[in-house]
Amino acid sequence: MNNMNIKIIQTLLDVFQYYGETIHLDIERFENALNDEAPQLIDECFLVVQGFRSGVFEMMIFDDDYHRTKYVDYLKYVQDMSEEEALFTTVVFEICFDHFGYYLEIGNIEKLLKEAYQQNNFEELFIIARSYFKGFGMKQDYEKAFQLFHYLYTQGYDNGAYYLGYMYENGFGVEKNIEKAIMYYSSHDDSQCTLKMGILYMYGEYVEYDEEKAIDYLSKSQEPEAYLYLGILLEKRHLFSDAFQAYFKGANLFQKECLYKVAMYLYKGIGTKLNQSEAYRYFRYAYYCLHGESAYQLSMLFFDGVVVKKDIQQALCFLIQAARLKSQQACLTLAHFYGEGLYVDKSFELSTRYYQMANDINC
């Protein structure tokens, strides 16, 4: 199955809005409602329904340590989806969570907290602290999160160093203190702390700009965003082969900017062997992650008939979606098309609207 359409996301949100968020528990009724709303997106509807049947939706709701790759792999190997289908389904569900704010309500949190203290169960205390920090299972409470993370840190359990640094940096649950924030960030070599320190040195924020230290810290992190920032720094040094490898690692974790970067490198043969067919695949993956510039690149491929068969309607579909995903180039292209009557009916009103959208994106 190729070129799944992200329009299914809005359809799914509309179904939940109209029928209620629990309609997916009645899978047959849900399937009928979704198919009725989007008869032109039958393949996409099928994938979404399969995702709900698999139980992945509930698993993702109750996962307080979410990683996209975990659910892509699950859908691949348990539901026999292709990687592309699994990524598409996973991202669709992510958007639902962001829109509706699902959470699990933990009713006996005080009892669990008291028992964890009595048993000196640091791992349990850490989970509760992170739940307060994220507002997962309870009302978000930075003060309680800070108290727990700080207690754990004083007991030698420093896994919460990143959260302490974050709260000191932003003044959440404690008075803002940049020096203490940096102290906590730099005290622990986990992926989140090293990513944060790398970004601080990369942009010279709170610390003196130091590209070498930024690269060193980012190289220690396995966070998807770390590979993006590392690639940017290596690219700045014209180390294109190394930059490609960094982006490629991030792309394997489905970080959307890394997916786009890998696609561009493959398409142009920069830092790696030219492979436009693979570039097309990575553009699709990034598009499924709602990356506007990737949607724009897909539209250009269909306009030009490069790698894929020339298809003006498909090209226009991607171009319009790219504009909605805030691709400035897509907005400018559509403004030109409507102004000149190229591929679409001439419309001064729509041309002006897209020029305004492009200007707003630039601002």
Side-chain angles (χ1 to χ4, degrees):
M1 185 186 297
N2 289 325
N3 297 325
M4 280 82 76
N5 196 320
I6 61 172
K7 286 182 179 179
I8 192 64
I9 294 172
Q10 188 56 55
T11 302
L12 181 58
L13 295 178
D14 290 343
V15 168
F16 279 156
Q17 193 72 45
Y18 185 80
Y19 293 96
E21 299 160 22
T22 58
I23 186 177
H24 71 279
L25 299 176
D26 185 346
I27 198 68
E28 302 302 328
R29 180 165 169 254
F30 170 70
E31 183 175 15
N32 290 333
L34 195 62
N35 287 329
D36 288 345
E37 286 294 315
Q40 76 283 13
L41 300 175
I42 188 168
D43 291 335
E44 290 83 351
C45 290
F46 175 78
L47 286 177
V48 170
V49 172
Q50 284 297 98
F52 279 113
R53 288 187 190 277
S54 73
V56 160
F57 191 68
E58 283 74 18
M59 290 164 62
M60 291 168 70
I61 291 173
F62 301 139
D63 189 346
D64 65 339
D65 192 22
Y66 176 82
H67 289 285
R68 182 176 286 172
T69 51
K70 181 195 307 184
Y71 294 101
V72 172
D73 287 343
Y74 179 86
L75 289 169
K76 280 169 59 181
Y77 298 117
V78 175
Q79 291 299 307
D80 200 29
M81 290 186 184
S82 70
E83 183 175 75
E84 188 166 351
E85 293 167 342
L87 173 61
F88 178 79
T89 306
T90 299
V91 174
V92 169
F93 287 172
E94 286 177 11
I95 304 303
C96 288
F97 304 149
D98 290 342
H99 189 82
F100 289 109
Y102 283 97
Y103 63 92
L104 170 66
E105 186 69 36
I106 302 173
N108 59 341
I109 186 63
E110 292 299 329
K111 180 182 177 183
L112 293 174
L113 183 59
K114 183 178 180 180
E115 291 176 352
Y117 269 123
Q118 290 174 341
Q119 298 168 10
N120 237 12
N121 189 331
F122 291 161
E123 290 186 5
E124 187 72 24
L125 286 171
F126 176 76
I127 291 172
I128 295 172
R130 192 168 57 184
S131 296
Y132 275 121
F133 179 88
K134 294 183 176 182
F136 180 85
M138 62 199 74
K139 184 178 179 181
Q140 190 173 51
D141 191 326
Y142 285 119
E143 288 189 9
K144 287 186 178 180
F146 178 83
Q147 291 169 7
L148 285 168
F149 282 128
H150 188 265
Y151 170 77
L152 289 168
Y153 194 90
T154 61
Q155 299 299 307
Y157 190 90
D158 60 356
N159 287 9
Y162 168 78
Y163 299 101
L164 287 168
Y166 183 89
M167 286 186 282
Y168 268 118
E169 180 185 354
N170 295 283
F172 292 162
V174 67
E175 186 176 347
K176 186 172 182 176
N177 188 317
I178 299 303
E179 289 184 1
K180 286 188 177 181
I182 294 173
M183 183 273 288
Y184 281 112
Y185 286 142
S186 60
S187 71
H188 194 59
D189 275 348
D190 66 14
S191 281
Q192 289 177 299
C193 285
T194 50
L195 167 62
K196 186 64 182 182
M197 289 302 297
I199 293 173
L200 292 180
Y201 279 112
M202 179 178 179
Y203 290 106
E205 188 176 8
Y206 309 138
V207 295
E208 186 177 352
Y209 173 82
D210 191 320
E211 199 170 285
E212 290 294 337
K213 285 185 177 180
I215 290 175
D216 182 57
Y217 273 113
L218 292 170
S219 298
K220 295 176 182 176
S221 177
Q222 285 81 50
E223 292 294 312
E225 291 78 10
Y227 298 116
L228 171 64
Y229 291 119
L230 180 59
I232 291 171
L233 288 175
L234 294 170
E235 188 176 277
K236 180 182 175 184
R237 294 184 169 194
H238 300 285
L239 300 173
F240 297 113
S241 179
D242 292 338
F244 175 78
Q245 291 303 319
Y247 292 139
F248 187 73
K249 289 178 181 178
N252 284 337
L253 298 174
F254 306 111
Q255 205 283 334
K256 67 179 181 180
E257 293 290 344
C258 286
L259 288 166
Y260 171 71
K261 284 286 193 177
V262 167
M264 291 300 294
Y265 271 51
L266 287 165
Y267 186 76
K268 297 181 177 180
I270 300 174
T272 187
K273 187 177 179 180
L274 185 142
N275 189 331
Q276 294 183 332
S277 294
E278 271 295 276
Y280 171 60
R281 181 169 73 90
Y282 279 100
F283 280 135
R284 290 203 312 270
Y285 277 29
Y287 159 72
Y288 299 147
C289 297
L290 310 188
H291 190 267
E293 294 306 320
S294 293
Y296 173 74
Q297 292 297 331
L298 287 170
S299 74
M300 293 301 104
L301 293 179
F302 278 100
F303 273 124
D304 298 334
V306 176
V307 182
V308 293
K309 184 178 179 182
K310 188 170 183 175
D311 187 328
I312 300 301
Q313 289 306 311
Q314 184 76 285
L316 286 171
C317 179
F318 277 121
L319 190 60
I320 292 170
Q321 291 191 48
R324 290 174 178 167
L325 293 171
K326 302 190 184 304
S327 164
Q328 185 183 46
Q329 191 57 52
C331 292
L332 291 171
T333 302
L334 281 167
H336 174 67
F337 283 178
Y338 278 109
E340 300 296 327
L342 296 175
Y343 305 117
V344 294
D345 293 334
K346 196 169 185 177
S347 171
F348 176 76
E349 180 184 353
L350 288 174
S351 179
T352 302
R353 183 187 302 174
Y354 279 112
Y355 274 128
Q356 184 60 52
M357 286 173 63
N359 183 65
D360 292 343
I361 292 168
N362 187 55
C363 292

